[in-house]
Amino acid sequence: MGLVDELTVIITGAGAGIGRATALCFASEGAQVVVSDIDSNGAAETVNMIEKAGGTATLVTADVSKPADVAALIDMAVATYGKIDCAVNNAGIEGKIIPFADQTDDNFDAIISVNLKGTFLCMKAEIAAMLKSGGGTIVNLSSVAGLIGFSGLAPYVASKHGVAGLTKNAALEYGKSGIRVNAVCPGGIDTRMLDSLADQATGGTQSSAQMMDPLHPIGRIGKPQEVADLIVWLCSPRASFVTGAIIPVDGGYVAQ
Ligand code: NAP
């Protein structure tokens, strides 16, 4: 018996990193997974990995910042599996590290349109579908940068604080309709995104682990699977009284 047996989940940004680990974790716990990403090659690889392990998955290429793509993603999921039980709004970009006063409109707009507006567009469509089918659960990817500031990352920090706000609002608006909405706030997790941030911060002289292991009280950065486990639990019936929560999974980072 899996934690999410026979539930259907949509995961955005599931072609790599935390999204891929989450897709694999859902499949191994019994869910049918709609693997979505802007990168169809990465998403196809995730679907392959799930099918090789005996799971069920469908690929939908979608850019979460485009309303038409998001509508097509939700329609395809409902057409394929009948309903959406769970949704993980994970797609995100880090952008460039730039001091506040030098920030460019382009960097700000790109990050906000994917991380914040993309999450908003997905949530709207997911909630509409869940209202029709009688409920569901949503987990959004915020960040420790949704709880505290990080120098050089103002647009990213603003987008992730915004994701926490969307999460709380939807939780209070739809709790009585059987929809739970939570956000997870990872610390440094070993993915391409963290490599990019470490590259930018150190000019390529340090790996993400070299730079960020010591910054976490637990002494290391996290693994994508360690975030995936929390997300799957939040979507499972075991978390039936958890909604509107913004939960760090950060090796103690924000406890400092
Ligand atoms: P990642 O390894 O870069 O994977 C992100 C995936 O999302 C990639 O496949 C990417 O495709 C895709 N994507 C980018 N823009 C998209 C769009 N507009 N529509 C659909 N898919 C899109 O990142 P990650 O580290 O797994 O991060 C996943 C989430 O966790 C993000 O929201 C991130 O902000 C959050 N997070 C990460 C960390 C960390 O340390 N890694 C910490 C806190 C929070 P391309 O590769 O083609 O761009």
Side-chain angles (χ1 to χ4, degrees):
M1 184 81 179
L3 265 182
V4 285
D5 259 343
E6 286 169 32
L7 299 183
T8 295
V9 60
I10 291 182
I11 305 172
T12 65
I18 294 169
R20 171 176 286 167
T22 303
L24 292 169
C25 192
F26 265 100
S28 75
E29 292 290 342
Q32 307 162 117
V33 186
V34 179
V35 172
S36 186
D37 203 291
I38 197 170
D39 168 16
S40 44
N41 292 331
E45 180 58 26
T46 303
V47 168
N48 244 334
M49 292 164 85
I50 289 173
E51 288 176 345
K52 268 195 190 145
T56 306
T58 304
L59 184 161
V60 182
T61 305
D63 176 344
V64 297
S65 68
K66 297 199 169 131
D69 281 20
V70 172
L73 166 62
I74 304 302
D75 287 351
M76 175 74 92
V78 172
T80 307
Y81 296 114
K83 62 183 168 51
I84 307 161
D85 300 298
C86 317
V88 182
N89 298 313
N90 164 80
I93 56 173
E94 71 283 11
K96 300 192 184 102
I97 299 180
I98 305 174
F100 203 120
D102 302 324
Q103 280 290 343
T104 63
D105 290 3
D106 283 353
N107 192 50
F108 184 85
D109 290 345
I111 293 170
I112 295 297
S113 74
V114 176
N115 296 9
L116 184 56
K117 187 159 181 208
T119 300
F120 169 70
L121 292 172
C122 288
M123 288 175 74
K124 264 182 62 163
E126 290 154 3
I127 289 167
M130 287 173 180
L131 286 172
K132 280 188 198 152
S133 63
T137 59
I138 296 174
V139 174
N140 294 324
L141 267 287
S142 180
S143 167
V144 288
L147 300 168
I148 57 175
F150 284 83
S151 291
L153 289 173
Y156 184 81
V157 166
S159 74
K160 292 301 183 180
H161 277 71
V163 167
L166 294 176
T167 303
K168 290 179 193 172
N169 232 76
L172 64 89
E173 289 187 41
Y174 296 104
K176 292 190 178 70
S177 307
I179 302 175
R180 293 188 296 104
V181 189
N182 294 290
V184 297
C185 298
I189 305 296
D190 187 11
T191 69
R192 184 214 56 80
M193 181 181 285
L194 201 66
D195 292 342
S196 156
L197 289 169
D199 261 4
Q200 292 188 56
T202 70
T205 60
Q206 286 184 41
S207 69
S208 55
Q210 283 170 328
M211 181 188 158
M212 293 184 201
D213 279 354
L215 304 180
H216 293 74
I218 213 165
R220 63 172 176 84
I221 58 173
K223 302 176 192 118
Q225 177 70 43
E226 293 176 307
V227 182
D229 281 330
L230 173 59
I231 294 171
V232 172
W233 178 80
L234 281 169
C235 287
S236 79
R238 298 270 178 91
S240 51
F241 199 54
V242 183
T243 195
I246 313 296
I247 306 177
V249 46
D250 68 349
Y253 196 99
V254 296
Q256 300 174 99

